[in-house]
Amino acid sequence: MEDKRCKFWLPRKNRFCANAPLNDSPFCGNHKPRSDGQWIPCPIDPSHSVLQENIDGHVRRCPLLKQAQSLSLQPYYQKGINAGKEEDDDITSEMKRSAVYSMTVSEFYKLIKKIESIHASICDNILESYKIPEACNMWIKREVDRKLPFQEKHVKQQASIIGNLEDFGVIKSSLIKEQCDADGLCVDKIDSRPAVVEFGAGRGYLTQMLADCYGIERVFLVERKSYKLKADRSLRQKESLILERLRIDIEDLNLKAVDSLQGVPYLAIGKHLCGPATDLTLRCCLSEQDSEHNMEQCLGNYSLKGLAIATCCHHLCQWKHYANKKFIVDLGITKEEFHAITWFTSWAVDADHGSDLSVDGRLHLQSMEQEQYGGDANGIEDAVRNMKAVDRAVLGFMCKQIIDLGRMMWARERGLDTQLVKYVPSSISPENHLLIAKHAKCS
């Protein structure tokens, strides 16, 4: 019987795999060793790889082919509409690391000094703005459906995103306003409720909290991946709520072409929009051509009421996608230095975040340089190794703030009132920057 089983040993189960082997191999399809040939990302869905020699056949039968074909027929699908104008290839984290480690020690410290100088000149201390609105008490106190997943740190983050929107005047604790006619008959002013478009929605529980606590009645969840245990089932049980899930990459979403969003004021939100997803979302909501002089569309058919984006994973940011390249260039930062800055941001999560770190103090560059040159220098490896964890973290936070400040300024140049805050303490999440904005005309 064991002769008909896959020969891959499972040490945790202390037995061989129970699957049947392939005809030409002692292993099943899951455990057959990979060929030495070249593996390349599937052109339909880069999340999996295919042997280059098999690519033609795979493309014809890829399980995601029908989904891709269906998506291409949607009026709101426009390949690369939010990607930016540059055609550069993605720069991987390993490529960024290699570029940093190819610097001379003097170039490395010169770049760090430049970052510190720029940060000191443009980045005021970002306000702490941890807001838990009263309307979200039902979630904080776990007075919601017990079947809904509850993780305290995520609930606090979601509640503070909403609390900052309320504090900034984008939403109100009671979105249902009554309007009374001459006879004293009062009716709901439903038009006062904005729709919600959640970008990088995942399972959609940020929107779930908004719907539970603020009476949102029209929801669009934008997410390129498929998830189990989504909030969709719970949201669809709300009789007055209309839900539409758009399974599409933000890069390819033409929001103006979503028919059911035409003429509807909407709120754009996103919790932890990784790396370039923040820049793609900003472009999706505010086209490159928007400026202070053509914001009359705020009161027209395409109405962004406000936005709240929790940024994260800045090490994944790409020059080709970054929204405010002019801001970076005007600071005297080159494209290569921008890639290094994005790589440094990963250091922000290296330190102990039991207590909040501050970027108010100066880095101990002089002592670091003396340590580096005082002994047998082995290049950047020693320079990085000799940096204290807290200095690395402070440098990482400086880089994050510079990147996010450019995004905030880009939105401000397009007629929005904007603010960048720390919406939760670092002890809850070191990825705690929140970009919030609203149109003054829409408030």
Side-chain angles (χ1 to χ4, degrees):
M1 195 54 192
E2 289 190 2
D3 291 340
K4 296 182 180 180
R5 289 184 177 182
C6 169
K7 297 301 181 182
F8 186 85
W9 181 255
L10 303 173
R12 289 188 178 181
K13 296 184 178 180
N14 197 32
R15 63 171 175 78
F16 288 103
C17 170
N19 292 334
L22 300 174
N23 292 333
D24 58 347
S25 171
F27 302 100
C28 67
N30 293 329
H31 297 127
K32 181 180 179 181
R34 278 199 162 192
S35 167
D36 293 332
Q38 183 178 3
W39 292 80
I40 60 175
C42 169
I44 296 172
D45 177 26
S47 67
H48 62 278
S49 300
V50 186
L51 272 172
Q52 188 170 26
E53 62 195 60
N54 297 335
I55 192 69
D56 291 337
H58 174 81
V59 167
R60 291 194 295 270
R61 61 177 185 275
C62 177
L64 295 175
L65 178 60
K66 288 185 178 180
Q67 177 192 326
Q69 291 174 337
S70 174
L71 177 61
S72 67
L73 299 176
Q74 297 298 327
Y76 51 77
Y77 175 82
Q78 190 170 339
K79 182 69 175 175
I81 184 174
N82 303 314
K85 297 178 180 178
E86 296 206 13
E87 298 294 334
D88 293 353
D89 293 331
D90 284 347
I91 307 298
T92 65
S93 292
E94 184 58 36
M95 293 165 68
K96 294 176 183 179
R97 181 185 185 278
S98 297
V100 170
Y101 276 68
S102 67
M103 293 179 179
T104 65
V105 175
S106 61
E107 289 173 339
F108 176 73
Y109 284 119
K110 184 178 179 181
L111 177 57
I112 293 179
K113 287 178 179 177
K114 178 190 260 190
I115 293 168
E116 186 180 21
S117 175
I118 289 172
H119 182 271
S121 66
I122 67 172
C123 293
D124 294 330
N125 191 32
I126 298 179
L127 293 176
E128 306 277 351
S129 187
Y130 182 37
K131 308 281 187 181
I132 302 295
E134 185 179 351
C136 292
N137 278 346
M138 62 184 298
W139 268 87
I140 298 298
K141 296 178 180 179
R142 302 197 66 173
E143 296 172 353
V144 293
D145 187 346
R146 290 285 177 170
K147 294 180 180 179
L148 297 176
F150 182 95
Q151 286 185 283
E152 186 176 8
K153 70 173 185 177
H154 293 304
V155 169
K156 287 180 176 179
Q157 290 174 62
Q158 292 162 359
S160 188
I161 290 173
I162 295 170
N164 275 280
L165 280 170
E166 183 178 323
D167 188 64
F168 201 55
V170 180
I171 58 176
K172 297 182 180 179
S173 57
S174 179
L175 289 172
I176 303 176
K177 299 179 181 179
E178 290 191 334
Q179 208 172 40
C180 300
D181 59 21
D183 298 325
L185 181 62
C186 296
V187 294
D188 288 344
K189 188 181 177 182
I190 295 177
D191 290 341
S192 66
R193 304 174 190 173
V196 169
V197 182
E198 183 177 355
F199 291 88
R203 294 177 174 85
Y205 284 103
L206 175 56
T207 292
Q208 174 82 59
M209 185 178 288
L210 262 173
D212 286 345
C213 305
Y214 286 78
I216 296 296
E217 293 194 340
R218 187 171 298 187
V219 171
F220 299 83
L221 302 178
V222 180
E223 174 57 60
R224 66 182 179 181
K225 295 181 180 179
S226 176
Y227 283 90
K228 296 181 179 179
L229 305 176
K230 298 189 292 287
D232 299 37
R233 177 178 295 181
S234 175
L235 289 170
R236 292 186 194 281
Q237 290 175 355
K238 297 179 180 292
E239 294 182 0
S240 61
L241 187 140
I242 301 172
L243 170 65
E244 190 171 345
R245 183 174 277 270
L246 307 177
R247 190 173 174 186
I248 185 173
D249 195 311
I250 303 169
E251 182 177 337
D252 305 322
L253 174 60
N254 182 356
L255 206 59
K256 295 179 181 179
V258 178
D259 291 339
S260 49
L261 194 57
Q262 296 299 314
V264 180
Y266 75 94
L267 175 65
I269 59 174
K271 176 178 176 286
H272 293 313
L273 278 170
C274 294
T278 293
D279 303 294
L280 301 177
T281 298
L282 288 173
R283 283 201 186 90
C284 188
C285 298
L286 297 161
S287 68
E288 296 276 9
Q289 292 74 32
D290 288 343
S291 69
E292 292 186 35
H293 304 294
N294 64 356
M295 279 300 159
E296 288 78 10
Q297 68 174 350
C298 175
L299 302 176
N301 292 331
Y302 181 61
S303 180
L304 173 66
K305 183 178 178 68
L307 64 85
I309 296 175
T311 64
C312 80
C313 303
H314 296 74
H315 64 284
L316 297 176
C317 290
Q318 298 289 327
W319 175 258
K320 69 176 183 178
H321 294 314
Y322 186 67
N324 204 349
K325 297 184 184 69
K326 183 179 184 300
F327 170 82
I328 295 295
V329 172
D330 288 348
L331 292 175
I333 298 173
T334 66
K335 178 167 70 171
E336 292 71 26
E337 288 172 337
F338 176 81
H339 289 146
I341 287 171
T342 63
W343 188 71
F344 290 150
T345 62
S346 63
W347 291 354
V349 296
D350 283 352
D352 177 13
H353 296 283
S355 59
D356 287 346
L357 293 170
S358 170
V359 295
D360 294 339
R362 296 180 63 83
L363 295 168
H364 302 98
L365 291 178
Q366 187 174 1
S367 62
M368 286 191 290
E369 288 180 280
Q370 287 174 350
E371 289 177 13
Q372 179 63 29
Y373 291 117
D376 295 328
N378 293 316
I380 297 300
E381 289 85 352
D382 278 354
V384 173
R385 191 179 302 114
N386 289 337
M387 290 181 71
K388 295 179 181 178
V390 66
D391 284 328
R392 285 161 50 101
V394 168
L395 177 63
F397 279 118
M398 286 182 176
C399 294
K400 282 177 176 286
Q401 289 186 11
I402 292 170
I403 291 170
D404 284 342
L405 184 66
R407 291 160 162 169
M408 185 190 77
M409 296 303 296
W410 189 86
R412 184 174 294 175
E413 289 166 2
R414 278 144 187 83
L416 276 71
D417 293 337
T418 59
Q419 196 171 32
L420 184 65
V421 299
K422 294 179 182 178
Y423 74 103
V424 290
S426 293
S427 55
I428 294 179
S429 173
E431 301 278 20
N432 62 354
H433 284 183
L434 180 69
L435 172 59
I436 48 180
K438 66 177 179 179
H439 280 309
K441 294 180 181 179
C442 295
S443 59

